[in-house]
Structures are given as C-alpha cells and as structure tokens.
Amino acid sequence: MFGIALSAFILVFGIFLKLTKNQGFASSKRFAWLFIILGIITLVGRIIILNQKGEL
C-alpha cells in the first residue's frame, strides 16, 4: 500500500509542477511530464500486481 501512496504522490507532484506559476519551481518545471508519466505507470503497475496477488 505504501507503493500506491508513493506513486500517487509522484503523480500529484507532477501535476502540481505542471500547473504552478511559482518562480521557485521554474527550474523543475521541465520534469513535470516525467513525474506524471512515472506516477501513472507506477500506479497502474502496482494496482495490477496487487490485483494478481489477490491483495486488493
């Protein structure tokens, strides 16, 4: 379950980076799509693995 929470946090952080107008995150905005894609792939993978194991 920790993996699901962590991947959801990565996804939300990527969306935050994409939408923020704060100048403090200006240098990190180029990584927004990386975090979004990584979060989606990890979240889907975790759900599939937990579903196959019967733990979900």
Side-chain angles (χ1 to χ4, degrees):
M1 287 305 209
F2 177 72
I4 291 176
L6 185 61
S7 60
F9 175 74
I10 291 172
L11 176 63
V12 170
F13 183 67
I15 293 171
F16 167 75
L17 279 179
K18 188 73 176 156
L19 298 177
T20 189
K21 302 288 185 207
N22 190 342
Q23 291 298 325
F25 291 106
S27 63
S28 300
K29 284 184 77 81
R30 60 184 167 163
F31 296 113
W33 283 113
L34 174 75
F35 284 125
I36 292 171
I37 293 170
L38 183 67
I40 290 171
I41 290 172
T42 309
L43 187 63
V44 170
R46 276 288 182 192
I47 290 173
I48 290 172
I49 289 171
L50 288 176
N51 192 20
Q52 287 180 347
K53 290 172 91 175
E55 297 178 8
L56 187 64

